[in-house]
Amino acid sequence: MEACPTLETERLIMRPFRDDDTDAYFRVLNTAQVRESLHLPETLDRSDAWQQMAWFLGQWMLRGTGHWALEERSTGDFLGRAGLHHPERPDWPGVEVGWVLHPEYWGRGYATEAGAEAIRYAFEDLDLEQVYSCILPENRQSQAVAQRLGMELLEERVMAYFPLAAHGIWLRTR
Ligand SMILES: CC(C)(COP(=O)(O)OP(=O)(O)OC[C@H]1O[C@@H](n2cnc3c(N)ncnc32)[C@H](O)[C@@H]1OP(=O)(O)O)[C@@H](O)C(=O)NCCC(=O)NCCS
């Protein structure tokens, strides 16, 4: 049985990562815009993209949460990822809803569409009471997605995994 379900929204397929996504996923991470927004290290390469995919698939197996690979239904294009992230970090707020798209696909509402489906899955299928989002204060585009999804800024704090800056912690309750 697949731990990561395949879901469909109006314009997207949300499916488990596959081994042959590595190049397409690295193309997403390896854009200047995504590198800057996520503060990715310069050394991040194709093998790191593969490791991230394996990390998310492993999280689905271990915890029933993870990110989905996103495909555009009309074209089959690989767009990026979105989903529910619950890493083993002592000061992580809980299950985080998040989104990363190739810049070519920004400005179409795809992150909000995938985020809404991830939140629906969290509340209806996982029976969670709340989801969080951890967003750097300068990341206005990601904050706008959170706001469109009915999330509210709870607090700003520094987390151990990223000691250089405080993250905004956004909350949406069921
Ligand atoms: C954060 C990120 C996913 C946001 O992407 P986005 O395209 O701005 O967000 P959405 O998919 O919700 O699209 C919203 C935009 O699409 C527009 N849009 C166009 N057609 C639309 C449609 N049919 N339905 C909804 N919105 C539509 C909206 O008006 C809005 O435009 P605006 O930004 O000019 O206001 C993207 O910037 C990204 O991948 N950044 C790098 C990674 C990152 O920072 N991730 C978050 C870490 S916390």
Side-chain angles (χ1 to χ4, degrees):
M1 197 184 78
E2 193 80 68
C4 172
T6 296
L7 306 176
E8 290 197 12
T9 65
E10 189 189 340
R11 296 176 296 166
L12 304 174
I13 296 175
M14 299 166 68
R15 60 156 178 83
F17 276 106
R18 297 189 308 244
D19 201 27
D20 64 2
D21 289 329
T22 309
D23 286 324
Y25 182 48
F26 182 53
R27 273 197 294 277
V28 173
L29 297 180
N30 198 29
T31 57
Q33 298 93 320
V34 171
R35 279 188 180 274
E36 189 186 338
S37 303
L38 298 183
H39 292 238
L40 297 177
E42 272 179 34
T43 53
L44 183 133
D45 62 12
R46 188 176 176 278
S47 71
D48 295 308
W50 184 86
Q51 279 197 46
Q52 286 192 13
M53 289 165 32
W55 191 41
F56 284 122
L57 279 182
Q59 189 179 145
W60 280 110
M61 298 294 292
L62 292 168
R63 301 208 151 156
T65 54
H67 273 219
W68 286 270
L70 302 181
E71 266 181 31
E72 190 174 41
R73 277 175 66 164
S74 61
T75 60
D77 288 354
F78 182 97
L79 310 178
R81 63 172 163 87
L84 303 168
H85 188 32
H86 190 196
E88 186 62 27
R89 291 174 183 156
D91 56 356
W92 196 254
V95 173
E96 186 213 27
V97 57
W99 31 76
V100 177
L101 299 182
H102 192 288
E104 257 178 43
Y105 298 95
W106 293 5
R108 303 187 194 189
Y110 285 159
T112 300
E113 190 169 319
E117 180 61 9
I119 291 174
R120 184 209 62 72
Y121 185 81
F123 291 164
E124 291 179 16
D125 294 76
L126 301 183
D127 204 25
L128 298 179
E129 292 295 331
Q130 61 264 315
V131 290
Y132 299 87
S133 235
C134 305
I135 307 178
L136 286 163
E138 74 263 18
N139 196 339
R140 300 276 176 222
Q141 270 180 293
S142 189
Q143 289 164 23
V145 177
Q147 278 168 336
R148 282 192 285 273
L149 292 171
M151 306 188 82
E152 287 183 0
L153 183 61
L154 195 62
E155 57 174 333
E156 287 193 0
R157 63 179 165 87
V158 175
M159 286 183 286
Y161 91 99
F162 192 78
L164 297 178
H167 273 80
I169 311 291
W170 294 70
L171 170 69
R172 161 90 193 260
T173 48
R174 184 147 79 163

